[in-house]
Amino acid sequence: MSLKELSSLEKALGLKNTNKYSTQGDRKVPVLQSINGPALVGLVTIATHLVQEAKRPELLGGSAEHKAVVQQWLEYRVTKVDGCHKEDIKTILKDLNSYLEDKVYLAGNQFTLADTLMYYGIHHVIVDLAVQEKEKYMNMTRWFDHVQHYPGVRHHLPPVVVLRNRVYTSGHH
Amino acid sequence: MTKDAVQGAAEEADQAQSKKGLKKQQKEAEKAAKKAEKQAKLAADTQSTDEDDFAKDRYGVPQMVQSQQKLDRVLVRVQKLTPEKADQLIWVRARIHTSRAKGKQCFLVLRQQQFNVQALVAVGERASKQMVKFAANINKESIVDVEAMVRKVEQKIESCTQQDVELHIERIFVISQAEPRLPLQLEDCVRPDGEGDEDGRATVNQDTRLDNRVIDLRTTTSQAIFRLQSGVCQLFRDTLTNKGFVEIQTPKIISAASEGGANVFTVSYFKTSAYLAQSPQLYKQMCICADFDKVFCVGPVFRAEDSNTHRHLTEFVGLDIELAFNYHYHEVIESITDTMVQIFKGLREKFQTEIQTVGKQYSSEPFRFLEPTLRLEYTEGVAMLREAGVDMGDEEDLSTPNEKLLGRLVKEKYDTDFYVLDKYPLAVRPFYTMPDPNDKKYSNSYDMFMRGEEILSGAQRIHDAQLLTERAIHHNIDLEKIKSYIDSFRYGAPPHGGGGIGLERVCMLYLGLHNVRQVSMFPRDPKRLTP
């Protein structure tokens, strides 16, 4: 799962030389054996490293506050979203939906690594949502649709259909 | 121990016992005295009432009505109590909806069907203290005859339907006494969803209400629902009769299942078995073959589906239509959709009060429809669903969630709650459905939807005995059992089509309700046979 994600991320970042990855432990934590140094462990660590390698540091945030928010959402992704139980998904969707009410991207107005990884991490949930649920979490769906169309991001994942107009306006049924 | 000692001990025991006995006796005597005192007081009370009550002929529980006398008394309908009747002395028969005594007066709310009016008994020239007390003690839901003066009120009475007047009671007689404890309270039944939760007040769940259906049916909401339902039937009849249709009656005990054998009730019929009709399908078609040209039928329909959903009943009322057409089955669709539109219009014009009454408890948007009715083809519907991200095959039947979603998509695009979906895949329809001449995969069949839920299923029927036999064989139907049906097409049968509507579903969806049991007076489902 996360290996596919990392290779998609590499392509999204425009990296040519494909790295070799392995996994460790029951939870299949990704490991990157780098050429000049010790092995890197963990999705966020490796992803951050790839961003540096691609010389795209702005994807980790500009100002110190911005950087902190990006880190916060990267952490949210691996601690809350990954391995989350079915009944907790609703809470996550609700959280994201209210957080994104006045934002284009997770860290405000700029696209960052947090958006990419959150998109990869939550895709399997959104794919299964009914039209009505997608409309219920409208802000989250808008963000999701925007990110899936962001140049170069989608790669290994199938597109999710998002209706542009509201169908359940009245709350009937 | 000596003999004496034994005796002494026995005496002592005796004495102890008698001591206890004495106490007991004393207590009993006290009790009896108290009782006597009470009785005396009560007697005195009643005596005093008898003595001092100048109004004792103005209230009470009269003899049971056994048709002893023909009174020349006009009972005014509560609905008619308007300011025009002000300062008139009138008689009303109604139920005690609520009563509230306050010192020297007692406020009653008198209810008659979905209408109610405030009434007042106050100590004065016409009513005594005892009369007010009597009025306050009448059990809720009792039926009373009341003679009263109609008076205009300065401030509108918000809690009643008759807001501009109140009744000043001069006489009150209990015609039928209700038991003091009701299995459920009417106010709890009409509370809008969610409102009770906030105030921590009780709401009654549906099963309890259905268990005590007689009381539940007295609520304003139920009264309105079933008046509207009666209206649907009447509008259906009137519209079709005006179009030259003939009403027919068909048997409900039949020898063969009309649409698939799985979901029929089997009844023992002397030495053999029979089925309860799933629809009057075969009979209305036979009437067409018998030159009745345009027929309709209103009657019970049975489905032995073991599904416990919000919209399935095992017995419901079917409104069935069948008519011969000239060249194209769209003539049939137009005839049916026009009938539906006439019903919707009639309801909108004549049943506004009822619609609003139901809306107070179950709010919903007004029902929207187009003229002429929107007709979509099945493939268009599937395309709309696919566009919304639904993955389904060309010849797959619509699942309930997809059906509802399509309804929302249609509403969004065309702003209508009523539409026809035409050209269903042949594979998902019954054997007597006419195949589409241009594409063997499809058929000349259609469903009609209200608020995204199916209310009618219909088609052009096969009027050719040979093709009909082929299709029956294709569906593995025992030809022997439907012989009389197939034979009826051998002696000249006009092309025809029709459809069957579920009365309860139409009412439910028109009013935007959520459960078909709300619009069935005594619902039957796999888990309910009573009341």
Side-chain angles (χ1 to χ4, degrees):
Chain A
M1 177 74 194
S2 52
L3 292 192
K4 256 192 185 164
E5 206 179 319
L6 283 168
S7 90
S8 284
L9 180 64
E10 281 180 352
K11 283 179 203 148
L13 290 167
L15 289 170
K16 293 260 159 58
N17 52 329
T18 40
N19 293 301
K20 284 272 183 286
Y21 299 101
S22 54
T23 57
Q24 79 177 29
D26 292 342
R27 300 185 63 195
K28 304 226 160 131
V29 177
V31 178
L32 167 63
Q33 189 59 57
S34 70
I35 314 145
N36 42 6
L40 291 175
V41 183
L43 178 69
V44 172
T45 315
I46 299 172
T48 314
H49 167 74
L50 292 177
V51 168
Q52 300 286 10
E53 210 168 62
K55 302 206 165 46
R56 302 274 301 278
E58 76 279 5
L59 289 179
L60 296 173
S63 64
E65 290 93 342
H66 199 207
K67 279 196 175 91
V69 175
V70 173
Q71 282 309 315
Q72 184 211 321
W73 282 109
L74 289 173
E75 197 176 313
Y76 185 92
R77 152 74 212 266
V78 284
T79 56
K80 299 270 175 158
V81 179
D82 288 358
C84 128
H85 288 287
K86 270 226 164 107
E87 52 269 29
D88 299 332
I89 285 174
K90 291 248 154 73
T91 328
I92 291 178
L93 292 175
K94 231 169 112 185
D95 277 359
L96 276 174
N97 191 55
S98 55
Y99 176 79
L100 286 165
E101 189 178 354
D102 56 354
K103 289 171 194 72
V104 179
Y105 299 108
L106 285 177
N109 292 325
Q110 262 111 52
F111 180 82
T112 64
L113 180 63
D115 294 298
T116 315
L117 289 197
M118 185 66 80
Y119 162 71
Y120 289 154
I122 211 167
H123 185 279
H124 69 282
V125 177
I126 310 299
V127 136
D128 288 338
L129 287 188
V131 173
Q132 190 166 11
E133 287 172 299
K134 281 186 246 182
E135 194 166 307
K136 185 173 166 195
Y137 307 112
M138 199 166 42
N139 304 316
M140 188 277 308
T141 309
R142 169 186 34 77
W143 162 84
F144 185 89
D145 194 35
H146 189 52
V147 174
Q148 75 174 351
H149 288 99
Y150 198 86
V153 170
R154 196 165 55 77
H155 287 291
H156 68 286
L157 296 167
V160 173
V161 177
V162 171
L163 295 183
R164 292 295 168 88
N165 39 6
R166 295 189 64 182
V167 176
Y168 293 89
T169 40
S170 64
H172 181 81
H173 287 295
Chain B
M1 219 194 271
T2 61
K3 216 179 173 184
D4 278 353
V6 174
Q7 219 171 9
E11 262 169 39
E12 231 168 80
D14 253 9
Q15 258 176 4
Q17 219 168 33
S18 67
K19 240 184 200 171
K20 261 189 201 166
L22 218 68
K23 260 190 187 168
K24 219 175 178 181
Q25 267 177 4
Q26 230 166 17
K27 260 191 186 168
E28 258 163 33
E30 267 171 48
K31 249 189 196 171
K34 265 188 189 168
K35 213 173 168 182
E37 207 177 311
K38 239 184 190 174
Q39 262 173 350
K41 208 179 164 191
L42 208 74
D45 258 5
T46 44
Q47 214 172 26
S48 76
T49 35
D50 282 348
E51 278 168 10
D52 325 334
D53 192 0
F54 61 87
K56 67 180 173 197
D57 297 331
R58 298 180 159 270
Y59 66 91
V61 184
Q63 250 190 317
M64 186 196 293
V65 175
Q66 270 187 306
S67 308
Q68 296 93 334
Q69 47 187 346
K70 277 187 177 172
L71 277 184
D72 199 16
R73 182 187 287 169
V74 181
L75 293 170
V76 179
R77 310 287 301 168
V78 167
Q79 189 182 0
K80 297 271 160 68
L81 297 174
T82 54
E84 286 152 37
K85 286 245 178 348
D87 303 322
Q88 287 182 24
L89 195 61
I90 49 109
W91 278 93
V92 167
R93 175 170 295 180
R95 280 185 195 277
I96 303 283
H97 186 58
T98 59
S99 73
R100 184 164 47 94
K102 218 166 104 186
K104 285 188 169 180
Q105 44 189 2
C106 173
F107 285 96
L108 303 168
V109 173
L110 299 180
R111 189 187 80 238
Q112 191 174 59
Q113 293 166 344
Q114 70 267 49
F115 305 101
N116 50 25
V117 65
Q118 178 168 284
L120 169 70
V121 199
V123 177
E125 254 176 66
R126 304 285 191 165
S128 62
K129 216 168 158 185
Q130 291 85 350
M131 178 169 161
V132 174
K133 200 172 160 194
F134 172 82
N137 284 333
I138 304 174
N139 295 333
K140 267 191 193 181
E141 293 301 303
S142 296
I143 299 173
V144 293
D145 271 5
V146 158
E147 189 189 33
M149 189 67 93
V150 184
R151 297 278 189 215
K152 274 195 211 172
V153 287
E154 310 220 321
Q155 245 186 338
K156 280 192 182 241
I157 302 161
E158 297 291 341
S159 57
C160 291
T161 56
Q162 310 313 111
Q163 304 195 328
D164 303 313
V165 294
E166 66 177 6
L167 299 179
H168 290 215
I169 293 179
E170 305 210 337
R171 291 171 206 267
I172 181 162
F173 298 102
V174 177
I175 299 299
S176 173
Q177 187 117 23
E179 286 196 10
R181 278 170 61 92
L182 296 167
L184 42 82
Q185 302 299 317
L186 265 75
E187 305 90 81
D188 297 340
C189 291
V190 294
R191 196 160 288 139
D193 290 338
E195 204 170 271
D197 306 341
E198 288 161 28
D199 321 337
R201 281 196 284 193
T203 46
V204 190
N205 73 22
Q206 178 139 343
D207 263 333
T208 314
R209 291 169 58 171
L210 293 180
D211 287 341
N212 301 286
R213 193 60 161 156
V214 173
I215 295 177
D216 181 43
L217 286 174
R218 290 179 191 169
T219 61
T220 48
T221 310
S222 298
Q223 288 285 323
I225 287 174
F226 291 101
R227 268 154 224 283
L228 181 122
Q229 188 173 79
S230 158
V232 173
C233 273
Q234 169 146 27
L235 289 162
F236 181 77
R237 278 204 172 92
D238 289 352
T239 313
L240 290 176
T241 312
N242 285 340
K243 285 174 187 276
F245 278 74
V246 179
E247 178 161 7
I248 57 164
Q249 303 295 340
T250 64
K252 306 303 168 202
I253 305 174
I254 57 171
S255 62
S258 58
E259 20 209 302
N263 53 2
V264 283
F265 286 108
T266 315
V267 291
S268 77
Y269 195 73
F270 304 111
K271 279 180 184 151
T272 146
S273 59
Y275 303 112
L276 292 182
Q278 294 160 298
S279 81
Q281 185 58 40
L282 310 187
Y283 293 92
K284 55 184 191 175
Q285 281 191 261
M286 290 197 257
C287 287
I288 297 294
C289 295
D291 283 350
F292 279 94
D293 200 34
K294 297 171 171 182
V295 296
F296 73 94
C297 173
V298 179
V301 173
F302 303 90
R303 297 284 155 92
E305 288 170 72
D306 193 8
S307 44
N308 293 287
T309 72
H310 75 284
R311 61 171 191 175
H312 283 95
L313 293 171
T314 49
E315 178 181 349
F316 59 94
V317 177
L319 307 174
D320 275 85
I321 306 179
E322 199 75 24
L323 62 149
F325 63 83
N326 298 333
Y327 297 104
H328 200 290
Y329 75 101
H330 281 179
E331 296 164 30
V332 176
I333 294 189
E334 276 151 28
S335 186
I336 299 176
T337 52
D338 180 62
T339 306
M340 293 308 295
V341 166
Q342 295 307 324
I343 293 175
F344 300 148
K345 279 184 169 172
L347 292 177
R348 195 173 59 187
E349 277 159 28
K350 295 182 195 155
F351 290 86
Q352 212 36 251
T353 327
E354 281 77 7
I355 294 169
Q356 276 164 10
T357 307
V358 177
K360 274 183 205 156
Q361 186 175 0
Y362 304 103
S363 62
S364 73
E365 288 174 86
F367 191 81
R368 314 262 306 162
F369 55 92
L370 296 174
E371 248 183 309
T373 303
L374 173 71
R375 190 181 61 83
L376 289 175
E377 295 213 344
Y378 196 78
T379 44
E380 291 177 84
V382 172
M384 283 172 81
L385 282 172
R386 287 197 183 135
E387 221 170 282
V390 174
D391 186 28
M392 68 176 287
D394 274 343
E395 290 182 72
E396 204 178 306
D397 205 356
L398 282 181
S399 67
T400 309
N402 285 347
E403 202 175 284
K404 283 192 177 178
L405 175 58
L406 184 58
R408 297 305 312 186
L409 295 170
V410 169
K411 168 100 190 212
E412 219 284 318
K413 196 166 173 184
Y414 301 98
D415 192 27
T416 175
D417 286 311
F418 179 61
Y419 72 98
V420 183
L421 197 57
D422 194 11
K423 296 277 175 206
Y424 267 66
L426 184 59
V428 304
R429 308 297 276 198
F431 73 97
Y432 47 74
T433 308
M434 182 66 88
D436 182 5
N438 304 315
D439 190 341
K440 288 250 148 61
K441 280 201 303 191
Y442 293 97
S443 63
N444 291 349
S445 64
Y446 43 85
D447 274 6
M448 293 182 190
F449 295 88
M450 281 172 71
R451 298 199 206 247
E453 293 193 51
E454 184 232 296
I455 51 141
L456 173 142
S457 217
Q460 177 185 350
R461 328 293 188 184
I462 299 171
H463 58 282
D464 178 88
Q466 200 191 335
L467 180 57
L468 190 58
T469 314
E470 273 173 38
R471 295 296 306 165
I473 292 168
H474 182 83
H475 279 257
N476 293 323
I477 291 167
D478 185 358
L479 289 177
E480 208 42 53
K481 283 194 172 166
I482 54 166
K483 190 170 177 300
S484 65
Y485 170 65
I486 292 180
D487 282 348
S488 43
F489 299 99
R490 292 191 196 281
Y491 314 108
H496 63 283
I501 307 165
L503 172 65
E504 286 86 352
R505 279 195 192 176
V506 172
C507 298
M508 166 176 85
L509 295 166
Y510 186 83
L511 291 168
L513 300 176
H514 302 290
N515 197 310
V516 73
R517 288 162 189 79
Q518 292 171 314
V519 290
S520 175
M521 206 167 250
F522 298 103
R524 289 287 173 268
D525 63 37
K527 290 184 179 142
R528 181 174 289 279
L529 256 175
T530 52

